[in-house]
Amino acid sequence: MTDSSRFTITAALPYANGPVHIGHLSGVYLPADIFARYKRRSGSKVLYVCGSDEHGVPITISAKKNKTTPQAVIDKYHDIIKKSFYDFGISFDIYDRTSNKLHHENATDFFKKLYHDGVFLEKFSEQYYDQKENTFLADRYIQGTCPICKFNEAYGDQCEQCGATLDPSELKDPKSTLSGEKLIKKKTKHWYLPLNQFEEWLQEWILNDKKKKWKPNVLGQCRSWIDHGLNPRAVTRDLDWGIKVPIDGESGKVLYVWFDAPIGYISATKQWALNNNEKWEPYWQDSNTKLIHFIGKDNIVFHCIMFPAMLKAHGKYILPHNVPANEFLNLEGKKISTSRNWAVWLHEYLQDFPEKQDALRYVLCVTAPENKDNDFTWKDFQARNNNELVAIFGNFINRVFVLCHKYWDGKIPATNDLQKIDTEIIKKIQEAPGMIGNYIDNYKFRFAIQTFIDLARAGNKYLADTEPWKLFKEDELKARTETILNICIQLTATLAILCEPFMPFTSKKLENMLNIKIEDWSSAGNVAKISPGHIIEKPSLLFSPVEDEEIDKQILKLKRDS
């Protein structure tokens, strides 16, 4: 193990104001998990961190709406989110929360350092104020008419109709969502991160240094922000819920969530280190460590411009090595909307499809929105489960196990003389780990999973072409059957290793069926991994078909609940 093989992998902190849905899993947590699992299997030292973002304005809105407290909201949804990730095999080394005391202390110290180093600008500005509620309003508490599409219920930070990012001052006829009253502007003081002072450095670091390393969609969005010119951005806001601004005499002000949330990655790492008697510093302060942020496209500006500027200003942390952001996953041709309940919630999916975690992981990887928005449909989910997982992957495994038990009582036969068709499939077995690994290294998860299923497909074709069930009937050809089934078992062992990053539950099933211990990635492709005479377990089905009635029920549920 060398320092150069250390990875700090982060996944965007989900807001603890609601459950997580398939869009979250597809765009962020699944690709991050695939990458983390693969790197661990490859021998790298990996720390995969995440946690609940518990200081966002949506949490206070949810609390008011449900007549409860922000703490009650975050406690409820933190548990739901954490369990959903666990149930889907997301292999975080720690899933933390930003309400923890350690994070409050860490974010406070981070702010203090920049404050005492003179990084921040202190400015007075006029902001919208609700006289009836006697409070300054966060952007999400302000509604008005969008200046672009004229939607009359646009929020102060974004129009959910056209997707435009907005400033409250751009809205026409702004009013409070708390009282419904028209707003006045009132003077208030805040501290700003002068992003304009980092513009030249960011341009060189991103558009030159990262030009050939980062995804085009990420570079394109960064270029757009930089080309339009960066402006100072407030790191504090007038709000009661959050991390208090650590300046004497300043009450009713907290750190802006965009500022405190990414610091949560560092806090989670420190918490992990305390829990495991480890050092946190190598994961954030060693230049040989590669910091990888997995996010959706709506978080690009925060992880590629703002957080790097914060880290640069602090001076004691490494910068992101890569930020492989994904686009959005739509649902049945429409944008996923949590407010309209147009979503497939992870905890509800497992109620309707128990033990089918890997089926969803597989389909979401195959259809991942890596370079453009993509669409999830229940019919496609059914087709891919039935036609690919059941008919290709599962069918190959089942045929191999059935034949081994039928002819040799589950005892693996030896190989004999190889024919051309054998060497061709062996070549595919030996090449697949490198191809899949290379795709994962380059964040091309769709190509990786496609290469995997192609290998299973090649196994099916090999069986169909060699027809061992016919050869076994003739005494002089039984030795040929032994070679075929040995190769198929070696292929099965390789598939068990290669599917672990994508379908960990299936990998575990195969490990038990093969009666072996799944080893590191380098053991995949070894066509002598399982020795002759080794006994395998009796076959059990890896996957089961999804019936039409189940799909009709899901489509009806979407239409009924939205």
Side-chain angles (χ1 to χ4, degrees), residues 79-90:
D79 290 343
I80 292 174
I81 292 169
K82 185 176 182 179
K83 185 176 187 304
S84 293
F85 286 142
Y86 174 81
D87 288 344
F88 273 89
I90 303 302

Side-chain angles (χ1 to χ4, degrees), residues 313-328:
H314 191 284
K316 292 187 178 180
Y317 295 108
I318 59 173
L319 298 171
H321 175 74
N322 211 319
V323 187
N326 283 325
E327 300 295 297
F328 287 156

Side-chain angles (χ1 to χ4, degrees), residues 34-51:
I34 292 169
F35 189 82
R37 286 176 176 274
Y38 163 68
K39 285 298 180 184
R40 291 189 192 109
R41 290 286 179 185
S42 300
S44 297
K45 195 170 182 63
V46 168
L47 187 69
Y48 180 19
V49 302
C50 190

Side-chain angles (χ1 to χ4, degrees), residues 5-41:
S5 64
R6 186 188 296 111
F7 288 83
T8 301
I9 300 170
T10 75
L13 308 186
Y15 277 125
N17 70 317
V20 281
H21 54 64
I22 59 170
H24 298 127
L25 189 62
S26 170
V28 179
Y29 308 102
L30 179 56
D33 190 59
I34 292 169
F35 189 82
R37 286 176 176 274
Y38 163 68
K39 285 298 180 184
R40 291 189 192 109
R41 290 286 179 185

Side-chain angles (χ1 to χ4, degrees), residues 71 107 140 146 190 193 199 206 228 234 279-280 283 289 299 303 305 312 324 336 348 406 454 484-485 500 527:
Q71 187 66 48
R140 274 270 150 173
C146 174
H190 285 291
L193 181 65
E199 190 172 304
I206 297 174
H228 281 84
K279 293 184 180 297
W280 68 268
Y283 293 93
T289 297
N299 262 319
H303 288 74
I305 291 179
K312 180 75 171 175
I336 291 176
E348 291 184 0
K406 181 178 181 180
D454 283 347
I484 294 168
L485 267 298
E500 196 272 344
V527 293

Side-chain angles (χ1 to χ4, degrees), residues 240-265:
D240 292 326
W241 177 251
I243 299 174
K244 307 303 180 185
V245 172
I247 299 175
D248 292 340
E250 299 298 339
S251 60
K253 298 183 190 295
V254 298
L255 301 186
Y256 230 117
V257 69
W258 72 261
F259 184 85
D260 101 73
I263 299 172
Y265 300 138

